């Protein structure tokens, strides 16, 4: 299904029409319109100048657009629209939805389109990105055996605390229980620091964040099930 730029342009302003598309769930049409508008502008600019000047202008424009897009992406909070319900929804298909085909990717035409893609794709593929983080963290632990030992040791410390608490009933001695909790926390912090568990975690966070941002930026918005428009 495709619309013209604004079939109701005589009576409805572009801003109102775009707002209606957002509320109705037709975000992919906004994405397509941004790409087609940028392509039309480029073709129009090229046709009104000679070849050498047009090539130089296109290169400068593309460079500025790329820099602007990158700055806007890294200054955008990709998790602004994320909610707990997004993690409880079914996981999108890895092949047809998350990865797609070659035609599912394109460079954003501008900062507005880049921010739209990032926030919406992170919301749509939240479970996929979370799975990738777990995979990257597991790979980091595999590459750093001491970190894996440290993580297991931390789990063992708290498991022993839970077992002792249930066996001897430390709830009856709140002061002693508080002292043991603080001791377990200090032991956990020492283990994490000495065995570089935080390094493995930071590596996994950095790689997964980079992959998330790049995929969400270049992945075109795909059609989804429509939500009923919001009442004004």
């Amino acid at each position: 299904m495709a619309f013209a730029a604004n079939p109701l342009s005589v009576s409805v302003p572009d801003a109102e029409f775009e707002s209606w598309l957002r509320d109705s769930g037709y975000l992919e049409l906004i994405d397509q319109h941004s790409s087609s508008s940028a392509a039309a502008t480029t073709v129009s600019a090229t046709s009104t100048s000679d070849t050498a000047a047009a090539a130089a202008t296109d290169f400068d424009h593309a460079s500025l657009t790329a820099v602007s897009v990158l700055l806007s992406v890294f200054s955008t909070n990709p998790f602004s629209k994320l909610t707990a319900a997004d993690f409880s929804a079914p996981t999108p298909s890895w092949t047809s939805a998350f990865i797609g085909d070659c035609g599912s990717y394109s460079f954003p035409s501008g900062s507005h389109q880049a921010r739209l893609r990032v926030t919406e794709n992170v919301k749509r593929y939240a479970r996929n990105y979370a799975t990738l983080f777990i995979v990257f963290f597991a790979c980091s632990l595999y590459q750093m055996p001491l970190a894996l030992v440290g993580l297991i040791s931390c789990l063992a410390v708290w498991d022993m605390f839970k077992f002792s608490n249930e066996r001897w009933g430390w709830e009856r001695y709140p002061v002693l229980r508080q002292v043991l909790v603080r001791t377990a926390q200090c032991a956990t912090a020492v283990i994490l620091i000495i065995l570089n568990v935080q390094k493995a975690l930071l590596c996994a966070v950095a790689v997964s964040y980079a992959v998330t941002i790049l995929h969400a930026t270049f992945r075109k918005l795909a059609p989804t099930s429509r939500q009923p428009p919001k009442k004004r």
Side-chain angles (χ1 to χ4, degrees):
M1 182 179 183
F3 289 140
N6 184 350
L8 305 176
S9 57
V10 175
S11 58
V12 180
D14 288 341
E16 291 292 330
F17 183 64
E18 180 174 330
S19 177
W20 177 82
L21 289 176
R22 288 176 179 274
D23 295 341
S24 302
Y26 291 101
L27 292 175
E28 71 279 0
L29 296 181
I30 301 177
D31 187 37
Q32 294 171 8
H33 176 59
S34 299
S35 300
S36 59
S37 297
T41 302
T42 302
V43 171
S44 176
T46 303
S47 62
T48 57
S49 58
D50 56 75
T51 305
T57 302
D58 290 344
F59 178 79
D60 293 340
H61 178 72
S63 301
L64 292 176
T65 300
V67 172
S68 175
V69 166
L70 292 177
L71 290 177
S72 66
V73 166
F74 284 103
S75 63
T76 300
N77 179 13
F79 312 111
S80 59
K81 296 177 60 177
L82 202 59
T83 61
D86 297 323
F87 292 98
S88 60
T91 303
S93 172
W94 285 92
T95 53
S96 60
F98 183 74
I99 298 177
D101 52 22
C102 295
S104 301
Y105 298 87
S106 68
F107 196 87
S109 60
S111 302
H112 175 72
Q113 186 181 29
R115 289 192 294 267
L116 175 65
R117 286 184 180 182
V118 168
T119 55
E120 185 63 26
N121 280 329
V122 167
K123 182 178 178 66
R124 293 183 180 185
Y125 306 117
R127 291 176 63 92
N128 302 86
Y129 295 136
T131 302
L132 288 179
F133 168 74
I134 295 174
V135 171
F136 292 142
F137 186 51
C139 292
S140 299
L141 294 176
Y142 178 78
Q143 295 293 329
M144 304 171 64
L146 285 179
L148 178 59
V149 173
L151 183 62
I152 295 176
S153 300
C154 292
L155 296 177
V157 167
W158 287 102
D159 193 60
M160 290 175 58
F161 175 80
K162 180 181 178 181
F163 173 78
S164 302
N165 184 54
E166 293 176 351
R167 183 177 179 84
W168 287 291
W170 287 343
E171 291 87 353
R172 295 175 298 176
Y173 312 99
V175 177
L176 177 60
R177 185 177 186 276
Q178 189 68 17
V179 170
L180 292 175
V181 168
R182 299 304 181 190
T183 303
Q185 290 176 341
C186 292
T188 301
V190 171
I191 293 173
L192 292 177
I193 294 174
I194 293 179
L195 298 182
N196 288 328
V197 178
Q198 78 283 2
K199 183 178 180 181
L201 180 61
L202 288 176
C203 290
V205 169
V207 174
S208 60
Y209 183 81
V211 171
T212 298
I213 290 297
L214 291 176
H215 178 270
T217 301
F218 293 104
R219 182 67 167 89
K220 294 179 180 179
L221 297 180
T224 58
S225 57
R226 307 303 176 198
Q227 300 294 332
K230 300 176 182 178
K231 295 182 179 179
R232 298 185 178 279

